[in-house]
Amino acid sequence: MSKAVVFSRPIKPEWLDKTVEFLLKCQDEERSKDMLLEFLSSYIKDRTNLLKTRSILARIWLEVGENKGLRDRALEVFKTCNNSERLAVHWAMMLLAFPIFRDLCAIIGKLSDIQDEITLSQIKRRVYEVWGERSTLEHSIPKNIKTLRECGVLEQVKPGVYRVLKREVKNKDVISLLIYAVLKSRDKLYHSVWELERFKELFPFIIDVSVADLHRHDAFMLDRIGGETVVSIGKGFYDG
């Protein structure tokens, strides 16, 4: 089955914050969507683009399906976060909501490990290798890039050329959300603990993960395979 491309509008971090604010305020997804539509209408006049933008934000925080347990935990963590940490919480939810966003972030992460500047053509070529060439991608990739720029993790050096802007995240609860989101979004049963800090999907975040941190949460399961410690998704507060 082919993967759907639905991230077709740029998103601002303040819109993500507002989505969470509405949900925390009214504790109702449908009411939150109505409030979000009214809020966004001050910024987006075209009706089609307005509905598309609301749909993307709703998919991240309001229409989460099997990820409700994670979402509810993310809401609790969000209340304690500063602005930089809030972006990381949104990031975890976006990785699970949109495979295209996850794959594009992984590609940018890999490229930024080997070069200081990344071109749009390089990103497109590698996305096409994963997703195949289709017209929806031609439209979606620039919107994803613009979202990353709005979030302050990608800087345009000149047209079509970008540089990654990194930020450190120390909040252990936020880090656990990021790690869990990557583990759940990947088609792999387990990962070596040493891999966690190097997840390419988390390219803008500098994090420190220890075995002790993972032991704090039932959401992670640790084991020994081939002489090394590995981590997989366990059971705990993320299951809801």
Side-chain angles (χ1 to χ4, degrees), residues 70 176-185 219-220 233 238-239:
L70 173 65
S176 71
L177 290 171
L178 288 170
I179 296 299
Y180 186 89
V182 176
L183 290 175
K184 190 165 186 182
S185 69
F220 303 111
I233 292 175
Y238 293 121
D239 296 328

Side-chain angles (χ1 to χ4, degrees), residues 38-173:
E38 182 178 354
F39 167 75
L40 291 171
S41 65
S42 298
Y43 301 90
I44 306 170
K45 300 306 179 183
D46 180 84
R47 180 71 177 177
T48 299
N49 290 336
L50 173 63
L51 291 174
K52 284 181 179 180
T53 304
R54 196 269 302 265
S55 178
I56 291 169
L57 292 166
R59 183 161 173 172
I60 295 168
W61 279 105
L62 306 176
E63 299 171 350
V64 295
E66 66 178 17
N67 294 317
K68 184 178 185 301
L70 173 65
R71 191 278 308 275
D72 291 347
R73 173 59 181 168
L75 288 173
E76 291 303 311
V77 172
F78 188 88
K79 297 175 186 177
T80 70
C81 291
N82 59 36
N83 287 338
S84 182
E85 293 167 346
R86 285 182 174 186
L87 175 61
V89 176
H90 292 311
W91 198 277
M93 298 305 299
M94 292 166 74
L95 290 176
L96 288 172
F98 294 103
I100 180 60
F101 179 80
R102 178 201 64 210
D103 290 346
L104 183 138
C105 288
I107 287 165
I108 292 175
K110 291 174 184 176
L111 289 171
S112 65
D113 274 354
I114 59 176
Q115 57 196 70
D116 293 332
E117 296 182 353
I118 306 165
T119 68
L120 180 59
S121 61
Q122 288 175 320
I123 296 170
K124 283 184 175 181
R125 183 166 64 251
R126 284 161 176 77
V127 171
Y128 292 151
E129 288 173 359
V130 177
W131 285 70
E133 291 195 41
R134 37 181 142 167
S135 58
T136 48
L137 279 176
E138 186 67 27
H139 178 69
S140 178
I141 292 173
K143 307 305 181 186
N144 278 257
I145 295 295
K146 186 172 182 180
T147 296
L148 296 176
R149 292 178 61 195
E150 292 282 358
C151 289
V153 300
L154 210 59
E155 176 187 38
Q156 180 170 282
V157 179
K158 56 186 178 182
V161 181
Y162 306 96
R163 180 186 298 120
V164 168
L165 302 175
K166 290 186 175 289
R167 59 184 69 194
E168 187 173 12
V169 175
K170 294 184 178 181
N171 186 315
K172 297 299 184 182
D173 289 326

